[in-house]
Amino acid sequence: MPATPPRPPGLSRLQPALPSPLQPAEDDRFGRHGVQLLLKRDDLIHPDLPGNKWRKLAPNLLAAAGRPVLTFGGAYSNHLRATAAAGRLLGFRTVGVVRGDELAHRPLNPSLAQCAADGMRLHFVDRRTYRAKADPQVLAGLLSAHGECEVIPEGGSNALAAQGCTELGRELHGRAAVAAVACGTGGTLAGLAAGLAPGQRALGIPVLRGGFLGDTVRDLQREAFGGPAGAWSLDDRFHFGGYARTTVALHAFADDFEDRHGLPVERLYVAKLLYALTVLAEEGAFPAGTAVAAVITGGPDPAEPPGAPQSASSR
């Protein structure tokens, strides 16, 4: 077995709040069907690296062992911001490869400005190059420009991230029959399912359209665990048009959920998850007596407060 990489300086001092709280949410939209809604508050793990960002980044940072990190994201990427914050807190160099070379000639939006303030070097590439980011020649060019770095994929989803997210499943042993999470790149779902106990299942709600995520989760589980791990499924009906797209109805739902439960609801992932669960409860997808845990992977984006519905082009 390979030796465990040394911890980057300060990682143990970040003091993540683990296990994250599991809170009951009394809600008649679930209660009238005999379903108990629980909120797995991963958003409370760490103020700068909340939710699945902590669970996915921590094992990657252990592997990087203080070396510079290069990673990828869009103009409003939570992953880029979390990586930049980790670099500031732990004292390692970060490089963010940002989709959209036109952004290089505009003032930085609040999200990218926060990355830069945390010390991240931003490298803007055109969308064609970004799509080819896993190509060895593209990676070689980036590493030539920025020096030797530990490369973490978009969204932080790789085998290490999936392994890190197994602890999320373990924290839910005996607490809920179904553990549900919003999905972007699939790493959280892959690890969550693997960490659950027999008889529990994970439900993923993709926030991107296209129906491709199942293959991604299967590939991640093969890489992380050697094959399929745990029971999981996806419901592709609740992306609201695709990544970073929302509607007036979704915002109204999120506002109402906040009023009911005092939970600040992030719109691009968490609102879609909670909306999906209310629809599924109404459809009878959960038998009476079922406890459903909704994983709250993050809070509202402080760099861009919730407002009018967003289109993908504006994100």
Side-chain angles (χ1 to χ4, degrees):
M1 177 179 287
T4 301
R7 287 179 178 268
L11 184 58
S12 61
R13 296 197 299 271
L14 292 185
Q15 298 181 335
L18 292 169
S20 61
L22 185 65
Q23 302 172 344
E26 297 296 329
D27 193 308
D28 64 297
R29 294 169 295 186
F30 295 84
R32 64 174 171 256
H33 302 291
V35 177
Q36 182 185 19
L37 176 65
L38 305 169
L39 304 177
K40 179 64 169 163
R41 297 294 304 276
D42 265 21
D43 58 312
L44 301 178
I45 289 177
H46 190 277
D48 293 295
L49 286 78
N52 58 350
K53 301 309 173 193
W54 173 274
R55 295 189 190 273
K56 293 197 289 186
L57 272 176
N60 276 286
L61 298 183
L62 288 173
R67 294 187 293 273
V69 167
L70 180 146
T71 193
F72 306 85
Y76 283 91
S77 169
N78 294 328
H79 169 67
L80 286 184
R81 284 206 313 280
T83 303
R88 169 176 56 82
L89 293 166
L90 302 177
F92 62 87
R93 185 166 61 89
T94 58
V95 178
V97 180
V98 185
R99 180 180 60 246
D101 56 343
E102 75 280 359
L103 299 172
H105 310 294
R106 300 177 186 171
L108 295 179
N109 66 38
S111 185
L112 293 178
Q114 184 61 57
C115 290
D118 280 339
M120 176 173 275
R121 183 175 180 182
L122 301 175
H123 182 117
F124 298 91
V125 297
D126 62 79
R127 283 163 168 73
R128 179 186 227 175
T129 301
Y130 191 87
R131 286 193 295 271
K133 57 187 174 295
D135 183 279
Q137 288 188 325
V138 172
L139 282 175
L142 292 170
L143 294 176
S144 175
H146 297 287
E148 200 60 37
C149 296
E150 189 81 6
V151 177
I152 299 177
E154 182 179 34
S157 286
N158 56 12
L160 285 173
Q163 291 164 2
C165 289
T166 58
E167 191 60 28
L168 170 59
R170 295 188 188 105
E171 290 175 17
L172 290 168
H173 279 200
R175 310 294 297 277
V178 178
V181 65
C183 302
T185 51
T188 305
L189 178 64
L192 168 63
L196 292 173
Q200 294 179 294
R201 66 181 177 92
L203 170 64
I205 304 298
V207 302
L208 292 81
R209 61 183 175 182
F212 61 87
L213 199 59
D215 289 340
T216 302
V217 173
R218 282 185 281 273
D219 288 344
L220 281 167
Q221 288 200 331
R222 275 194 293 271
E223 187 179 354
F225 312 116
W232 59 271
S233 62
L234 294 165
D235 193 321
D236 288 295
R237 295 179 292 159
F238 303 102
H239 52 69
F240 284 83
Y243 179 67
R245 292 185 182 273
T246 60
T247 66
V248 171
L250 183 65
H251 280 276
F253 169 83
D255 289 342
D256 175 70
F257 199 94
E258 289 178 340
D259 291 342
R260 287 173 183 248
H261 301 293
L263 172 77
V265 176
E266 185 273 332
R267 271 30 181 193
L268 304 186
Y269 288 85
V270 176
K272 295 179 181 183
L273 167 68
L274 295 171
Y275 180 89
L277 293 179
T278 60
V279 172
L280 289 166
E282 189 65 33
E283 292 176 346
F286 309 120
T290 300
V292 178
V295 181
I296 310 302
T297 48
D301 184 351
E304 188 184 25
Q310 298 291 317
S311 68
S313 61
S314 70
R315 300 293 296 194

